[in-house]
Amino acid sequence: MTEAGYNFAYLDEATKRMIRRAILKAVAIPGHQIPFGAREMPLPYGWGTGGIQVTASILGPNDVLKVIDQGADDTTNAVSIRRFFTRVAGIATTEVTGEASIIQTRHRIPEKPLTENQILVYQVPQPEPLFRLEPHRAETRRLHALADYGLMHVRLYEDIARLGHIAKAYDYPVMVNERYLMSPSPIPAFDNPKMHQMAALQLFGAGREKRIYAVPPYTPVRSLDFEDHPFRPIRAPHACAICGSTTSYLDELVTDDAGGRAFICSDTDYCQERQQAPKAAAE
Amino acid sequence: MTLLLEAKGLDLKFGAIAALDDVALDVTAGEVVAIVGESGSGKTTLLRVLAGQMAPDAGAVHYLGRDVLGMTEAERRRLMRMDWGFVHQNPRDGLRMGVSAGGNVGERLMALGARHYGNIRDEAKAWLQRVEIDAGRIDDLPRHFSGGMQQRLQIARTLVTRPKLVFMDEPTGGLDVSVQARLLDLIRALVRELGLSVLIVTHDIAAARLLADRILVMRRGQVVEQGLTDRVLDDPQHPYTQLLVSSVLAA
């Protein structure tokens, strides 16, 4: 049941309207950052205030929400945001990727391919891909307007010159629809190829920075690279210690004080599904 | 000879001070033109107006028949990246101090769409050698370079895309004389080799004599005299030019 005294999904209708307008603009110009009036949310900046506002604005009473934090459904951030929406919107939640209509995510894309009936909402700490390269926001906006992205390649060049390879393993810059340079939020570079021509709508909310951007379904998303140093989605060269997957993105866990470690799927739901599948087949 | 840059009737006032007063100027292909004059005579302002970085109150600037002042910012930037180069007096303004020498030289190439790391690096190495910087320092930051090396790096970075027209604002300013001499030598060699057109602003008459085919003398925003370098310097007509030429110290 919803908490008394709150509007459906916490935000008032005028705010939702404002955010929805920003979302529509963002969808119309894939990869372009749209400013919006981010509200104070009952959680600190950096915990997903942007994502939570986007989710609140697109949530309907029949939606089924899944929230993941670094791929996991059972971490504090994911549990709190799920409980928050259960309380203020009374909607159903799930941990199963296939059952969700809206998936709010922090730093991962689920392993299971998403469908046209799903929306993926990213929590974004820093929406500006040219951040740290060009200190002036007015100038980065101009660079975006003129599609002047030599600077980003200079950064990648510097990586190769110093380290022999492109060192960015997460938040790896992408070109959306061959027009706008976009930060994919700190997802691992491993997940970048999943954004390309994805069937689901991808929305990005940055609360502290007050920006919303989007990748509409079936939009080309290309990771930047050099011809002789092509983009590589990096993955630990192991099999999951629980489900044995050799294709999913793995987290490294320290298991004891003697240097023992294990690699397990970062996507908990994917791992669970794979654990249950052999049992179902056996029964 | 094709007319590269053509400016007419340029006027610009900073409050009551006329920085540019009915200035006209032509640069033909392959020509080196020096603008000399004392501090505050409007030299740098003229350069900035010609490069489209500042709008004059009146007048027109055309590059190969195209109106520079009426261009959109996108067009002007494209021109700046492809056809033009700008060498600043202070290399810190023209270089990215936090990016390696190779990255600095490669930036313009990458901005023009070069996407092959190996080729970019080879080109950067070749250019470092051309401006007499050891290719082994390709991965060093410019802040670890001396002032003269920084200035040469800035020149390499500017010329790597082989621009047609290069604007130079006091390129030898702030360097000691022996370094100045080497830099002037280098610029002269590159200009002849690449067939560049250069518009150079300087208060150093000797540098102008060494580099320029033609000289414009500016004073209080006006061009008081212009002509072939040797003619202007050996037989100055205007009293101000006479003063300027006679003020040069002979070692």
Side-chain angles (χ1 to χ4, degrees):
Chain A
M1 219 19 248
T2 57
E3 199 88 339
Y6 283 106
N7 188 30
F8 176 78
Y10 187 77
L11 292 175
D12 60 272
E13 290 304 316
T15 301
K16 286 192 203 172
R17 183 181 148 97
M18 174 268 295
I19 295 175
R20 285 172 193 151
R21 290 173 84 142
I23 292 173
L24 286 174
K25 272 192 203 173
V27 170
I29 316 172
H32 179 54
Q33 301 165 43
I34 311 291
F36 78 109
R39 300 294 191 249
E40 289 271 343
M41 295 304 282
L43 78 169
Y45 286 136
W47 287 51
T49 51
I52 210 171
Q53 287 179 79
V54 170
T55 302
S57 308
I58 58 174
L59 210 55
N62 298 323
D63 271 315
V64 180
L65 181 69
K66 171 183 162 85
V67 182
I68 50 175
D69 173 5
Q70 301 275 15
D73 288 278
D74 52 4
T75 52
T76 316
N77 201 219
V79 172
S80 322
I81 293 175
R82 246 189 346 255
R83 201 174 53 193
F84 171 76
F85 279 116
T86 313
R87 280 177 64 181
V88 298
I91 45 119
T93 61
T94 180
E95 297 194 356
V96 182
T97 304
E99 286 175 5
S101 58
I102 297 174
I103 302 172
Q104 183 175 331
T105 174
R106 172 172 176 269
H107 308 182
R108 265 322 300 280
I109 297 176
E111 302 289 351
K112 190 183 178 126
L114 302 182
T115 68
E116 289 175 3
N117 300 321
Q118 293 177 307
I119 298 177
L120 189 57
V121 178
Y122 295 77
Q123 301 170 195
V124 181
Q126 180 48 257
E128 179 52 70
L130 298 169
F131 178 67
R132 286 185 198 288
L133 298 173
E134 170 54 58
H136 303 287
R137 274 306 152 91
E139 179 63 15
T140 59
R141 276 201 292 275
R142 199 170 297 143
L143 292 177
H144 280 297
L146 300 171
D148 188 351
Y149 296 133
L151 200 54
M152 195 75 231
H153 273 93
V154 171
R155 151 91 220 247
L156 301 181
Y157 168 94
E158 288 289 284
D159 268 7
I160 303 175
R162 283 187 193 156
L163 307 153
H165 60 93
I166 296 173
K168 230 168 169 17
Y170 66 95
D171 203 357
Y172 192 104
V174 292
M175 277 299 273
V176 177
N177 206 20
E178 292 303 321
R179 174 59 184 82
Y180 281 101
L181 184 70
M182 187 185 91
S183 155
S185 85
I187 60 170
F190 175 84
D191 280 344
N192 273 14
K194 293 179 190 159
M195 305 179 87
H196 179 64
Q197 301 286 1
M198 188 191 270
L201 170 64
Q202 303 173 72
L203 301 175
F204 299 77
R208 185 189 54 214
E209 304 292 332
K210 302 179 170 51
R211 294 285 184 277
I212 285 174
Y213 51 103
V215 177
Y218 303 111
T219 303
V221 176
R222 179 174 59 82
S223 305
L224 295 188
D225 60 3
F226 286 101
E227 287 159 18
D228 47 347
H229 285 266
F231 169 78
R232 294 175 303 143
I234 303 156
R235 173 185 183 278
H238 297 276
C240 170
I242 302 172
C243 76
S245 170
T246 53
T247 53
S248 70
Y249 190 74
L250 301 175
D251 284 341
E252 185 178 7
L253 295 186
V254 175
T255 51
D256 53 31
D257 288 342
R261 54 194 50 184
F263 289 89
I264 59 162
C265 288
S266 133
D267 186 337
T268 50
D269 170 57
Y270 173 82
C271 199
Q272 210 124 42
E273 225 168 84
R274 279 178 53 88
Q275 291 165 50
Q276 279 156 8
K279 278 186 222 151
E283 275 162 19
Chain B
M1 290 302 252
T2 41
L3 201 57
L4 219 51
L5 193 74
E6 187 183 15
K8 267 189 231 139
L10 295 177
D11 274 312
L12 181 60
K13 277 199 169 62
F14 294 133
I17 301 157
L20 296 178
D21 185 358
D22 195 25
V23 174
L25 168 73
D26 294 341
V27 181
T28 47
E31 187 182 37
V32 179
V33 179
I35 305 170
V36 301
E38 61 193 5
S39 299
S41 59
K43 302 182 305 260
T44 300
T45 305
L46 176 59
L47 201 67
R48 288 176 54 90
V49 167
L50 291 174
Q53 291 174 357
M54 205 184 234
D57 296 336
V61 180
H62 286 90
Y63 172 75
L64 289 174
R66 291 160 65 194
D67 181 11
V68 173
L69 302 171
M71 275 181 198
T72 62
E73 173 139 11
E75 286 172 319
R76 197 171 62 72
R77 284 202 176 207
R78 200 171 309 126
L79 203 59
M80 203 75 210
R81 281 203 299 243
M82 301 192 56
D83 279 25
W84 292 359
F86 203 106
V87 176
H88 296 262
Q89 174 173 11
N90 187 345
R92 272 155 223 277
D93 297 335
L95 293 173
R96 289 193 188 279
M97 298 308 280
V99 169
S100 71
N104 265 294
V105 178
E107 179 174 353
R108 273 172 73 103
L109 293 171
M110 288 184 256
L112 289 182
R115 291 292 177 265
H116 192 283
Y117 173 81
N119 295 351
I120 294 167
R121 203 165 166 81
D122 291 344
E123 185 89 11
K125 268 190 191 146
W127 267 98
L128 288 183
Q129 277 161 349
R130 259 180 126 153
V131 298
E132 298 165 19
I133 296 174
D134 180 9
R137 302 201 62 178
I138 187 167
D139 294 332
D140 290 358
L141 295 182
R143 77 165 72 100
H144 299 139
F145 287 6
S146 69
M149 280 171 79
Q150 287 180 359
Q151 196 56 285
R152 277 178 278 148
L153 182 62
Q154 194 194 176
I155 288 169
R157 169 188 160 93
T158 308
L159 298 188
V160 66
T161 51
R162 296 174 179 275
K164 289 197 184 84
L165 176 63
V166 181
F167 299 93
M168 293 189 184
D169 187 6
E170 306 265 12
T172 57
L175 301 174
D176 66 55
V177 275
S178 60
V179 175
Q180 270 192 27
R182 275 181 64 196
L183 190 69
L184 287 173
D185 230 26
L186 179 77
I187 293 175
R188 190 162 62 160
L190 287 172
V191 162
R192 293 289 172 256
E193 197 180 323
L194 301 172
L196 297 176
S197 301
V198 180
L199 198 60
I200 184 167
V201 159
T202 180
H203 56 244
D204 184 350
I205 302 287
R209 163 96 79 178
L210 202 62
L211 290 175
D213 302 316
R214 215 147 53 77
I215 257 186
L216 272 82
V217 182
M218 283 192 76
R219 188 190 186 209
R220 291 184 193 155
Q222 287 177 324
V223 176
V224 294
E225 185 166 359
Q226 60 173 311
L228 295 177
T229 306
D230 291 339
R231 207 283 291 153
V232 172
L233 296 183
D234 293 341
D235 180 21
Q237 306 285 314
H238 191 273
Y240 176 69
T241 317
Q242 291 169 356
L243 176 71
L244 206 63
V245 171
S246 64
S247 310
V248 176
L249 294 176

